[in-house]
Amino acid sequence: MQDAELKQLLDNTKTIAVVGFSSQAHKPSFFVAKYLQSQGYRILPINPALQGRPSGLMGETCYPDLKTAIAETGLKIDLVDVFRRAEHTPDVLAQAMNVGAGAVWLQQGIRNDLVEAKARAAGLPFVMDRCLKTEHQRLFLV
């Protein structure tokens, strides 16, 4: 995805579900989510092990999956930010497609070419192996 497309995607995004969220402040999924929240995005932390617990993000609790997050908040998910190993990404993509998410983003170090092909075939914007925080800073803060 080119810079103009990335910028447009992030400009149009209001709600980001962070799949694989950790409530531990030193973990990448936490500090990326905290940064994105500080930039005005609504964050929906997704981690079944933390279901119903406070996330450490102002006002947000954790949800077990995307479907529950939507059911409990009534929000539309614009972007699914994935912090799960590559072998888990087919399931995350299926969930994202089932809830009508606007785009899927696999964080830096996560690649799955088959998932990318399936997302693109479905017309779903897809980014992989890039850090959402880093890209946001590069595109909006420089």
Side-chain angles (χ1 to χ4, degrees):
M1 196 176 278
Q2 300 297 319
D3 284 355
E5 295 169 298
L6 287 174
K7 193 165 186 176
Q8 181 178 10
L9 173 64
L10 296 175
D11 272 337
N12 294 332
T13 293
K14 305 284 185 259
T15 303
I16 301 173
V18 179
V19 175
F21 176 82
S22 172
S23 60
Q24 297 178 25
H26 69 281
K27 297 280 189 164
S29 63
F30 181 89
F31 62 76
V32 168
K34 187 78 168 171
Y35 166 80
L36 293 168
Q37 187 182 52
S38 77
Q39 297 303 304
Y41 296 102
R42 173 75 186 267
I43 303 300
L44 300 177
I46 309 295
N47 185 328
L50 301 174
Q51 178 179 356
R53 295 186 187 168
S55 66
L57 301 176
M58 194 167 49
E60 298 298 342
T61 57
C62 293
Y63 302 95
D65 53 49
L66 299 175
K67 184 178 179 181
T68 303
I70 289 174
E72 292 188 13
T73 65
L75 297 170
K76 177 188 179 302
I77 296 172
D78 299 311
L79 178 64
V80 177
D81 188 17
V82 183
F83 287 87
R84 300 285 320 270
R85 291 190 315 257
E87 63 264 25
H88 298 289
T89 58
D91 180 53
V92 175
L93 176 64
Q95 285 185 49
M97 292 171 74
N98 286 337
V99 300
V104 174
W105 188 300
L106 306 186
Q107 277 296 134
Q108 187 172 354
I110 306 169
R111 292 192 58 87
N112 189 319
D113 295 330
L114 295 175
V115 169
E116 178 185 32
K118 186 172 183 178
R120 294 203 188 282
L124 187 64
F126 186 86
V127 179
M128 71 176 169
D129 196 20
R130 293 170 93 165
C131 177
L132 182 50
K133 177 181 179 281
T134 301
E135 293 299 315
H136 184 276
Q137 289 172 327
R138 183 177 68 79
L139 293 168
F140 292 94
L141 301 181
V142 175

